[in-house]
Amino acid sequence: TEMVNKKDGSQFDRDDENMIQIFNVFCGISLVNAKLYRESVDMSSQLRSFFDVAFSLSQSESIQRILTDIIHNARKAINAESASLLLVDNTNQVLNSFIVDGGKLQLTLPLSTGIAGFCAINRQSVICNNPYEDPRFNRSFDMNNNFTTKSLLVSPVLSSTGQVLGVVEMVNKVDGGFNDKDVDLLKSMTIFAGVSLENSKLKDSALAGVENELLRFMEDSERGIGIILKRLQLTEEEQKECSSRAFFTIDWKGDKQIKLLFYLFNKFELLETFKVDNDMFFRYIYELRSLYND
């Protein structure tokens, strides 16, 4: 603080110095409180973003909808102009745009160039607040779209095994440059993205698995209601065993469990009564089995 020209014409003295020091203490407290208040507002916004993402994960079946919510909430919390999710295509060695929020879509980026490519290859987050001075920066998008990238934050999206699934890119922070807090927040958001992508791939694998199993156990002509499946028949000895009071179902493993269920449900005509075809019942058993712990 600076005081200029005392009004009564006298000179400043020790009492004036002590007085201004007291007022400066209040000024300092006010500035600290303002900073703390700003941080509390930011934290509240971040927590709200996490809540919104968690809600989306619990409500939505669409991987695109979930990832769009994650990227949108990350952009809002970090306060960037635009954000995008790019997925790694190892076959073609490129990054393909999958989600964009608040900006134009970059269709494909080579893995060998650009800050996003560097992030994916090295599996590390990058803050770049002067991109035009960074030799890694790829200017092609800016040149083609008459756009200026002022600041950039990129973080990898990893699977549970550490495989790079893609990168999330934040462009142009509204209130200055990106910082370490932004990196920490974006890393948290990319965990949500990684889990969602991994679950989606596992779901695709499971769907492919059940189709293969269906082909192994039944013909197309056997997928209807009330049809006896040739490959899922129990022998007379097995039928006698599973119908006795001494039968212990845990002793039967693998395919025998499927055969047992088909036998019992058909024996009591449950599938026919409730109009459940063989295809649906098999998928139901397969899904149940996939959710059991070893």
Side-chain angles (χ1 to χ4, degrees), residues 46-90:
Q46 291 171 15
L47 289 172
R48 180 70 199 178
S49 295
F50 282 123
F51 174 81
D52 290 343
V53 168
F55 184 77
S56 176
L57 286 170
S58 67
Q59 295 295 313
S60 180
E61 286 289 327
S62 165
I63 182 65
Q64 185 137 2
R65 172 66 187 276
I66 290 171
L67 291 171
T68 297
D69 285 349
I70 292 171
I71 300 306
H72 176 70
N73 281 288
R75 182 179 72 81
K76 282 201 309 180
I78 292 174
N79 202 17
E81 284 184 8
S82 66
S84 56
L85 168 66
L86 302 103
L87 300 182
V88 172
D89 180 350
N90 287 311

Side-chain angles (χ1 to χ4, degrees), residues 283-294:
R283 291 175 187 275
Y284 175 66
I285 296 169
Y286 188 89
E287 182 71 12
L288 279 180
R289 188 173 67 172
S290 70
L291 295 173
Y292 267 68
N293 294 323
D294 291 340

Side-chain angles (χ1 to χ4, degrees), residues 255-281:
D255 295 349
K256 263 189 162 184
Q257 293 173 333
I258 299 174
K259 290 179 179 180
L260 171 65
L261 287 168
F262 267 95
Y263 170 72
L264 291 173
F265 274 68
N266 280 313
K267 180 178 180 178
F268 295 103
E269 299 179 350
L270 293 170
L271 300 182
E272 202 165 352
T273 300
F274 294 102
K275 304 293 187 282
V276 180
D277 60 40
N278 288 334
D279 182 280
M280 182 186 292
F281 188 56

